[in-house]
Amino acid sequence: MKSFKYSEEPIFKLVSGRMSNYYINCKTTTLDPEAMLLIGHLFYHKVKDLHVNALGGLTLGADPIAFATAMVSGMQDDAINAFVVRKKAKEHGLMKWIEGNVREGDRVVIVDDVVTTGQSTIEAIHRARESNLNPIKAIALVDRQEGGRENIEAKDIPFESVFTRDDLMNLYKKR
């Protein structure tokens, strides 16, 4: 539970500026070597039958998930590439929004660590479509259950998560 914090009072400030009772910092988990391997396997098993070319999302939250999944796929002789969606276009060279081994028309999955409103995931979907990639699904490690699922699915992208805020809260209460 090193990535989950709870308070009776809403003391955690979210990116939106709103205060919350829950703080979920997945980086302490997604950047842990043992957890990274588990996450890679979890996400690989969620995408392996989708016949996708790559997965990725908005940097920084999506990066460790995409990298771990790509590595696990390579260990299975079923290479799925990783890509990174920049927060702003590169200002030199090809000035691309997306870095990685992807080509126009590739079927991709958008990943994220935590989804609250879904804005980061939606931004990645938008940039992928703008780059002529074909996003077919979005998967998050944690869904905070605060409208993100609905907002993402409104963009005609199916969404699933490995865990929900309720799952984490139930584990917290058991401790």
Side-chain angles (χ1 to χ4, degrees), residues 29-40:
T29 299
T30 61
L31 295 171
D32 175 86
E34 291 176 13
M36 191 180 290
L37 187 58
L38 292 171
I39 289 165

Side-chain angles (χ1 to χ4, degrees), residues 1-5 23-36 39 60-61 64 113-114 141:
M1 297 292 297
K2 61 181 161 186
S3 291
F4 180 78
K5 307 282 183 236
Y23 180 66
I24 304 169
N25 177 10
C26 284
K27 281 131 195 105
T28 57
T29 299
T30 61
L31 295 171
D32 175 86
E34 291 176 13
M36 191 180 290
I39 289 165
L60 174 75
D113 58 353
V114 180
L141 186 57

Side-chain angles (χ1 to χ4, degrees), residues 61 94 112 138 162 173:
L94 299 178
D112 210 339
V162 176
K173 286 177 182 177

Side-chain angles (χ1 to χ4, degrees), residues 9-81:
E9 299 296 319
I11 61 170
F12 305 108
K13 188 172 184 177
L14 303 178
V15 172
S16 66
R18 194 172 56 78
M19 300 303 285
S20 175
N21 299 67
Y22 309 93
Y23 180 66
I24 304 169
N25 177 10
C26 284
K27 281 131 195 105
T28 57
T29 299
T30 61
L31 295 171
D32 175 86
E34 291 176 13
M36 191 180 290
L37 187 58
L38 292 171
I39 289 165
H41 280 283
L42 281 168
F43 275 75
Y44 172 71
H45 286 285
K46 289 189 174 294
V47 302
K48 70 178 183 172
D49 295 330
L50 299 177
H51 308 291
V52 295
N53 305 96
L55 75 166
L58 198 64
T59 198
L60 174 75
D63 298 347
I65 295 169
F67 303 159
T69 307
M71 184 185 73
V72 167
S73 75
M75 293 165 49
Q76 309 298 318
D77 288 328
D78 182 25
I80 299 171
N81 290 310

Side-chain angles (χ1 to χ4, degrees), residues 51-56 83 102-103 105-110 128-129 133-138 157:
H51 308 291
V52 295
N53 305 96
L55 75 166
F83 66 91
V102 290
R103 295 184 310 240
D106 277 356
R107 290 169 51 89
V108 300
V109 170
I110 304 299
R129 287 176 171 162
L133 300 177
N134 180 19
I136 62 159
K137 188 171 194 167
I157 297 290

Side-chain angles (χ1 to χ4, degrees), residues 137-154:
K137 188 171 194 167
I139 306 172
L141 186 57
V142 179
D143 177 3
R144 285 181 56 101
Q145 299 173 290
E146 295 183 30
R149 168 185 292 278
E150 295 79 6
N151 293 337
I152 292 164
E153 289 178 345

